[in-house]
Each structure stands twice: as C-alpha cells, then as structure tokens.
Amino acid sequence: MSSTSTATAGPVADSPNRTLHAWWQAAPFTLVFVLFFLIPLALIVMVSFWDFNEYELLPAFTLRNYFAIFEGCSTLTEHGDFCVSLSTYLSTLKFSLLVWLITLVLGFAVAYFLAFHVRSSGMQTALFILCTVPFWTSNVIRMISWVPLLGRNGLVNQSLQGIGLIDQPIEWLLFSDFSVVLAFVHLYTMFMIVPIFNSMMRIDRSLLEAANDAGASGWQTLWNVIVPLCKTGIIIGSIFVITIVMGDFVTIGVMGGQQIASVGKIIQVQTSYLQFPLAAANAVILLAVVLMIIWGLTRLVDIRKEL
Amino acid sequence: MSDTFDSKPADTTAGLSRRSLLQGTAGMAGILASGMSPAIGQEKITLRYLGTAVNQDKAIGDKFEKDTGIKIQYVAVTTDDVTKRAVTAPNSFDLIDTEYFSLKKIVPTGNLKGIDVKKIKNADKITPLFTTGTVAGKAVGDQGTAPKKVIYLEGEKSKVFAKSPTQFMSLIPTVYNADTLGIRPDLIKRPINSWAELLNPEFKGKTAILNIPSIGIMDAAMVVEAMGLYKYPDKGNMTKAEIDLTIKTLIEAKKAGQFRALWKDFNESVNLMASGEVVIQSMWSPAVTAVRTKGIACNFQPLKEGYRAWAAGFGLPATLSGRKLDGAYEFINWFLDGWAGAYLNRQGYYSAVLDTAKSKMEAYEWAYWMEGKPATQDIKSPNGDVLAKAGQVRDGGSYEARMGGIACWNAVMDENEYMVRKWNEFVAA
C-alpha cells in the first residue's frame, strides 16, 4: 500500500523539491505500515523458527515447527484422510473458492443492477446505502442470527414442516458446509459489490451505445465490454473475499458447529496453548499461500495501472 | 468445570480473525502500560485482580472494599489468557485467580510467590480435598492435575512443587466443582447413567463435546473407559499411544455423524441444549442452570464412572511486596472468611473453607446445596433468581456424593503439544 503512494511520486518527480514533498506525504502511512505490519510480521517470522516448551519460548533457530506442521503428510491417515495441515488447507481453500464464486456472481449482478438499471443517482445512492445496512451490526451478531433460523427446530424447518413439504427436520441446514458458505456470502458479498460497482460507474456509457450500434447482443456487450472493463473491481473484490475467508475462523467456527477445520482456528488453538512458535509457523505458511493467491490474481490485471 | 472459559469476550474472538498482529501489538502496549503504572498513594491501595469471570463478581469486590477500604480492580480474561499473562507479563497484576492445572505452566517460570500459610487465618480449615485429596475421609480420584499434587511449593521462591505439605502454597483454593454430562430428560426419555452414552449411536447427530482440547480429551477419555475400550493409568497424563486411541475413537464417532457440534463457549453449550440441537453433551453446572431458567428441562447427570473435577485458587506474583502484598493477604483472608464462600456456594460452586461459608448461609440453603436434601423453600441465587423450587433436590446430591465421586481432574499433559495436534486432527476429520 505504501508502495502505491510512493510510486505515484515517481512519474511526477520533476524537481527534487517535489520528490521530497511526496516522501513527506507518504511518510505517515509508511510509518504506520512499518510499525504495525512489517515489524510484527518480522517478529512472527522470527518466532516461527524458535523452540518452545510448556511455559517459555526458547530463542534458537530450528525448523522443528515447520516439520511438525507437515508431519505425517507423506501418507494418508488410517481413516484415509490427508494429514491435518493438508486437509485443513484443502477445506479452507474449498470454502474460499465456493464463497468467491458465489459472491462474485451475486456481487456482479447487484452492482450491474445498481450501475446500469437504476437511472437516478439519488436512487442509486439510496440502494447502495441499503446494501450497507447489515454492516451496522457486528459480524458475529449477523452470523449468530442465522442459528435460530436454520436450526433443527428453527424457523425454516418449522415452516417447511408446517406446509407439509418435509416430515423430518432437515439436518444439514445448520452446522454444515452449507451454513458456513451461506454466512460467508451474507457477510462478504458487500466486499464484491463495492469495487465492482465502482469500476462499472467509470465505464463510459458511450461504449455501451457503440456496442449496441455495432449490433452486439446484451450478452455480448456484457461479456466483451463490461466484464473486461470491470476487471479491476472484480480482482479487488476477489482479493478482499479470498483473504478474509482464508484467515477466518469465527464464521467457520460458529456456523460449522466448531466441527470444520480452518487454518485460522488451528493458529488460535495453538496460541491459546502457548505454542506461539507453532502458531507463527502456521501463520507464515498461511501468509505465503494467501500472497501467492493474490500474486496470481494481480497477474490477471495490473491494478496500479487501472486505478 | 470451568465456566472459567465461558467469559471469552466476543470481540476477542472476532478480532483475531483478521490481523492478530495488530491486536497483539496493542495488547502488549496495554500490558506494558499497566505494568508500569505509578505507585499507588499511601492512603488507599488498589489490587489488580487477574482472573476469569467466575469469581470476579462485582458484589464480592464491593463488599470487600466496604469491609476493608481496599479496592479491587478486576482484570477479566479467559483461562488461557490468565496463563499467558502470568507467563509473559507477571507485573501486570497483584493477585491471580487461576486453575490448578495451569500451575504446571506458570510455576516453572518463577513468576509466582509461595503463599505463607502462617499468614492465612483459615489455612487449616481448607477442605482436605485440596491438601490430602480426600472427601469425608475417603480418597478421591487423583488422575490429572489433582490440586494436592501442585498445591505446595518447596519454598517461597521455589519453581518446583513439594511432595509433602510445606509452609508455602502455590495457590490458596477458592472455588471448585465437578463436571459431568448434561442431558435433556424430556427428549431422551430414559435413564442415563454412563459416560458411554455420549457416543451411543442412539443419539447420533444429537451430541456435543467440549472443544477445549485439554478438557475435551478428558471427557473423551471418560467415554473410552466407560465403553470398556481401554483403562488409562492416568487420563490426565496420557502417552502418545493413548492420545492416538482416544482421538481415533472420537474421529470414528465424528465420521459416523455422532456430533451435532462442538462447543467452546458457555453460551454455546446453553444454546445447543436449549434449542434441542443436542440432547446430551459435556456441560458445566451453571450452564445447566441457565438452560433450566429458560423453563427447559435439563439435568446435570451424575454418572456411575464419576466426575471430572476442576479447582481454582489465588496466587501472588513473585514481585509483589509492601502494602500491596499485605493487601493481597488481607483479601485472601477475607475471601476465606465466609461471606464470599457462601456467595459462591449459592451459585452451585463449592467454597474452599466450608465451615465459614456455612456460618453465613441459612440452614435450608446449606441443606439444599451441601447436604443434598430437598429444598424446604425456594432456592434463590445471590441476585434473587429462583434456581430451584421447594421440594427439588440438587443434581448429584450432597457434597460428599458429588465431590467424593471425582474420577479425574482437569490437567495439562506432558504430551500437551502432541495432544493439541491430534485434537486439531479430530476437528479437521
């Protein structure tokens, strides 16, 4: 982030004076970034190579924590599963992918409606604010409110039984992959809508007219004009959603009945047992995975240029 | 039990999902700041009391201040965080309230000071459950971190536990209880008398277990023994092979769809039970009470294999000295003097010095809570809620019946790291 601010200084660096100004302008954020992100991150990397026992961290250089994470990953467990780390990452990736796909489709549709179908800008603002209303309450509360709705004796089951569609309550509504994905979609679609809407609003409307005049169908316009021009928004939204889901353990915990593994959860359990080096090693690996995903996404579009 | 764990503030859980780095830094700054707070003025002292929310009752603090003029400032965190702070920031509190099993992590750091029992007025009246591990003259189970194994230190500044009684205690016991399974009798409709029922396929998809690894695995071990699969030499200190066996049993049950959910938080267990998502689960006694106050039938079911017990107590940081040290001793003495004990007994916990608590309770209250007799009039909690109607009997019966039935204690195993790893495997399965 600081690199964007400093980078803008590059092209306009006509006089040394201006360069200096740019650096000063970037300084506060750089300082915050270094203090609250880079230094803690360096500490985490450092601790991930430390040894530990029940009650203290032992400064040293050991790869033990990393080995411990991947211990047993060369073979399947006796239940035919992958080792904890692999199966946890796979399950976390699965949720990321599912949630990303659904929020992308939903977010794109909502943003499209807001940007191209709502004519008055007043109405646009009003609807946009409406989308943010759920964010006025806390994440956890929004999540927990699903529980009485989806439970065995919850509203949905009661209604379905009431109208005679089912005899037995549906069990997979709650504490399942379904409820986890549902909660994620509910919580994070907004992060897709905002950047996509933003890039849609910047599309020159005459391009659409030109496409229309040239005889493009609605789908062709959508696919060949709008989608490529929204790529920045889509990528930014995707980064938001994927990084959040990859690091989450609260939603997966609450909606999955604590029975579904997530990398974040493992880190949390380890820190609560004073196994900081193990947790740090896990965090470093998770960070590497997420960075790789983001790197891959940014290969698809040069965000800096597009902004 | 450990309602000690129940008080996890929602924001901690939520916050950690993002960049815990930021939070960690902020938290550290807070700890440093409080550790370096300037000396308190001569006339009045304030004790920073680090603990979980169980004992940190406003009424207790207010009453103590009224009686002695010493102010109590509660620092309420989870059990895990109490340990974490005791290990990493021992100057951030003047009095610690923690569970005995945490001592295995804290005492070796040298951050605790032995408490001189000569300065504790009621020290010789502390229930023998703590000092010798007996109830009514009979020895109870001492598997796991039984308090008698860790209650004495070799000296005031010792980092090792003493094998036999000495002048210095690591923690002065305050509150303790014995946990078992909670059930919904209205949905089960038959007697339950064994831990094995937790994995009975009859309740498939309707059971839950505690997702705090060190306690959950003890409950699982009770089940494994009850099912006749294995008899542990010490459930509270398993070998790797024993951990493997226990977790394997859990994983197989999970794959067969036995569990509806795992729970970590007091309220989660209450909601699971009250909503009928589960009908049998490991549970804490106040959680059972909470379900009942919603008007839903729920039993804290005594089982033939016995209970898993827990106990907490007060400790002093090694650096505490001067008037604050005197104040901390005064608080401990006051706490054992009866008022607080009666207050805890009325919530279904047990106090460490029973004689003094008895003198502050009504005879009918004592009969209900401690002697297992039917209530002769409505039993009320300290804040006035009716907990039991006249004629009802406390689950588990008398103090002797309940505490005499202890099978094991909450523990930290030598193979703790391996256990946590295997537990994560169970969660991931």
Side-chain angles (χ1 to χ4, degrees):
Chain A
M1 283 165 257
S2 73
S3 61
T4 28
S5 41
T6 48
T8 48
V12 289
D14 300 320
S15 67
N17 213 2
R18 288 193 64 167
T19 325
L20 202 64
H21 280 305
W23 280 107
W24 272 115
Q25 281 166 350
F29 194 79
T30 313
L31 198 69
V32 170
F33 188 69
V34 168
L35 215 60
F36 293 104
F37 184 68
L38 287 184
I39 293 179
L41 185 64
L43 285 175
I44 287 189
V45 173
M46 184 174 82
V47 170
S48 75
F49 292 107
W50 283 12
D51 205 352
F52 66 98
N53 60 26
E54 279 302 318
Y55 49 88
E56 58 186 342
L57 304 180
L58 308 166
F61 182 86
T62 169
L63 290 173
R64 168 185 142 183
N65 304 311
Y66 289 93
F67 283 128
I69 289 171
F70 289 107
E71 194 176 293
C73 285
S74 52
T75 51
L76 296 181
T77 66
E78 53 190 308
H79 308 285
D81 300 326
F82 292 111
C83 63
V84 192
S85 303
L86 271 183
S87 52
T88 307
Y89 271 94
L90 283 179
S91 123
T92 313
L93 281 170
K94 178 186 79 186
F95 283 117
S96 291
L97 194 72
L98 272 174
V99 174
W100 172 71
L101 265 177
I102 299 172
T103 53
L104 178 61
V105 171
L106 268 180
F108 190 89
V110 172
Y112 186 87
F113 176 80
L114 282 178
F116 296 117
H117 282 266
V118 181
R119 294 291 172 194
S120 83
S121 63
M123 195 61 184
Q124 245 168 9
T125 320
L127 287 175
F128 195 78
I129 289 174
L130 196 68
C131 288
T132 65
V133 167
F135 285 76
W136 298 353
T137 54
S138 100
N139 250 5
V140 180
I141 295 202
R142 272 178 288 155
M143 221 183 289
I144 287 174
S145 50
W146 282 107
V147 175
L149 200 66
L150 300 175
R152 181 177 282 134
N153 305 308
L155 268 180
V156 172
N157 269 324
Q158 275 176 359
S159 315
L160 289 178
Q161 280 172 306
I163 56 173
L165 267 179
I166 50 169
D167 308 326
Q168 288 291 317
I170 305 173
E171 303 271 335
W172 52 259
L173 284 179
L174 189 59
F175 303 141
S176 60
D177 289 5
F178 168 79
S179 56
V180 172
V181 172
L182 183 73
F184 271 133
V185 168
H186 170 213
L187 292 175
Y188 301 127
T189 303
M190 194 63 195
F191 290 111
M192 274 295 190
I193 298 178
V194 175
I196 297 179
F197 176 71
N198 187 35
S199 47
M200 276 179 178
M201 289 307 284
R202 290 147 55 123
I203 295 175
D204 191 341
R205 295 299 190 271
S206 54
L207 287 175
L208 305 184
E209 283 165 28
N212 196 21
D213 292 347
S217 70
W219 280 110
Q220 279 174 319
T221 315
L222 181 72
W223 193 247
N224 296 319
V225 180
I226 297 179
V227 170
L229 289 173
C230 299
K231 239 159 87 182
T232 326
I234 292 174
I235 298 295
I236 294 176
S238 306
I239 291 176
F240 277 142
V241 170
I242 291 173
T243 48
I244 291 173
V245 177
M246 286 299 290
D248 179 274
F249 65 91
V250 180
T251 313
I252 293 186
V254 172
M255 300 306 292
Q258 309 283 2
Q259 291 210 68
I260 297 173
S262 81
V263 185
K265 184 79 203 172
I266 287 187
I267 295 176
Q268 191 227 4
V269 170
Q270 285 165 340
T271 52
S272 60
Y273 281 83
L274 294 169
Q275 301 173 350
F276 290 110
L278 263 181
N282 258 316
V284 169
I285 294 177
L286 175 63
L287 186 67
V289 171
V290 172
L291 282 178
M292 276 191 306
I293 296 176
I294 293 178
W295 180 81
L297 284 171
T298 50
R299 287 309 92 184
L300 299 174
V301 58
D302 185 345
I303 291 186
R304 201 180 298 165
K305 200 180 99 203
E306 298 287 335
L307 287 174
Chain B
M1 109 162 170
S2 288
D3 335 30
T4 30
F5 292 94
D6 70 8
S7 56
K8 190 166 195 88
D11 56 348
T12 335
T13 350
L16 280 168
S17 64
R18 293 296 297 282
R19 291 285 169 265
S20 47
L21 323 176
L22 290 175
Q23 290 218 326
T25 327
M28 194 81 88
I31 290 166
L32 286 175
S34 55
M36 293 190 282
S37 61
I40 315 289
Q42 272 300 304
E43 60 286 348
K44 216 175 173 190
I45 56 172
T46 300
L47 293 175
R48 292 166 302 166
Y49 171 165
L50 176 72
T52 56
V54 181
N55 291 346
Q56 296 192 333
D57 205 300
K58 190 168 180 302
I60 294 179
D62 289 348
K63 173 80 174 152
F64 176 63
E65 193 180 354
K66 215 177 104 199
D67 288 358
T68 63
I70 299 172
K71 218 171 147 51
I72 293 288
Q73 179 195 337
Y74 287 134
V75 185
V77 296
T78 63
T79 302
D80 293 338
D81 285 335
V82 172
T83 312
K84 225 184 276 177
R85 280 180 80 157
V87 171
T88 58
N91 294 326
S92 67
F93 55 88
D94 306 312
L95 185 72
I96 187 173
D97 175 0
T98 189
E99 284 194 52
Y100 278 85
F101 72 82
S102 306
L103 287 177
K104 275 188 161 180
K105 292 182 178 181
I106 304 173
V107 167
T109 63
N111 289 350
L112 283 193
K113 177 190 266 212
I115 300 174
D116 189 345
V117 291
K118 291 203 173 126
K119 292 192 197 166
I120 305 294
K121 202 174 73 190
N122 287 314
D124 54 337
K125 290 191 192 148
I126 288 173
T127 153
L129 179 62
F130 287 92
T131 48
T132 59
T134 55
V135 166
K138 277 191 294 199
V140 298
D142 63 352
Q143 293 190 6
T145 312
K148 67 169 185 183
K149 296 178 187 169
V150 293
I151 198 167
Y152 291 109
L153 297 178
E154 287 186 344
E156 190 178 12
K157 297 223 161 105
S158 176
K159 294 183 184 182
V160 283
F161 302 110
K163 297 264 184 301
S164 55
T166 66
Q167 193 190 333
F168 296 98
M169 277 194 180
S170 51
L171 295 182
I172 295 287
T174 50
V175 57
Y176 52 102
N177 209 336
D179 289 349
T180 180
L181 295 178
I183 65 162
R184 280 282 299 266
D186 55 328
L187 297 178
I188 290 184
K189 296 190 185 97
R190 71 173 175 83
I192 294 289
N193 65 3
S194 167
W195 279 88
E197 302 281 8
L198 189 66
L199 293 191
N200 186 341
E202 183 188 333
F203 306 121
K204 185 177 157 186
K206 293 180 177 174
T207 72
I209 194 169
L210 190 54
N211 191 17
I212 297 170
S214 62
I215 305 179
I217 196 152
M218 301 289 283
D219 286 349
M222 293 294 282
V223 176
V224 167
E225 277 195 351
M227 290 167 79
L229 293 175
Y230 181 72
K231 188 122 184 74
Y232 301 85
D234 185 350
K235 286 186 276 296
N237 202 4
M238 300 184 193
T239 62
K240 282 190 173 177
E242 285 167 347
I243 293 171
D244 287 346
L245 168 83
T246 317
I247 297 290
K248 182 169 166 259
T249 313
L250 283 178
I251 290 179
E252 276 163 9
K254 186 181 173 190
K255 295 218 159 202
Q258 185 70 12
F259 302 113
R260 179 65 168 157
L262 312 178
W263 62 269
K264 178 158 182 150
D265 179 275
F266 176 87
N267 294 314
E268 276 179 316
S269 74
V270 173
N271 292 337
L272 285 171
M273 208 61 161
S275 64
E277 295 294 334
V278 307
V279 298
I280 181 168
Q281 66 173 350
S282 17
M283 218 168 167
W284 297 332
S285 141
V288 172
T289 313
V291 174
R292 278 189 186 164
T293 51
K294 292 174 196 277
I296 295 164
C298 186
N299 285 358
F300 196 54
Q301 187 62 50
L303 303 167
K304 63 181 183 209
E305 294 87 7
Y307 296 86
R308 173 181 51 72
W310 60 272
F314 287 136
L316 302 175
T319 50
L320 198 67
S321 62
R323 295 182 65 230
K324 279 205 162 192
L325 181 62
D326 296 340
Y329 270 110
E330 196 171 345
F331 181 68
I332 295 172
N333 274 316
W334 176 88
F335 203 93
L336 297 183
D337 210 32
W339 190 90
Y343 191 85
L344 294 171
N345 277 10
R346 285 193 196 104
Q347 296 175 62
Y349 301 114
Y350 295 112
S351 66
V353 179
L354 296 172
D355 303 352
T356 56
K358 186 175 185 177
S359 66
K360 297 274 162 56
M361 289 171 84
E362 302 292 333
Y364 76 91
E365 288 182 313
W366 184 262
Y368 173 81
W369 288 114
M370 300 301 292
E371 291 169 348
K373 293 189 180 139
T376 51
Q377 50 182 292
D378 284 0
I379 299 293
K380 289 186 178 153
S381 74
N383 41 20
D385 298 332
V386 175
L387 293 178
K389 292 245 170 0
Q392 284 186 330
V393 183
R394 180 178 187 171
D395 284 337
S398 68
Y399 177 80
E400 268 99 38
R402 182 151 357 162
M403 296 316 279
I406 292 172
C408 61
W409 293 82
N410 278 357
V412 172
M413 303 186 183
D414 294 338
E415 294 288 353
N416 194 38
E417 186 198 333
Y418 184 74
M419 189 275 291
V420 171
R421 181 144 38 104
K422 294 300 280 188
W423 186 269
N424 281 331
E425 203 170 292
F426 161 57
V427 174

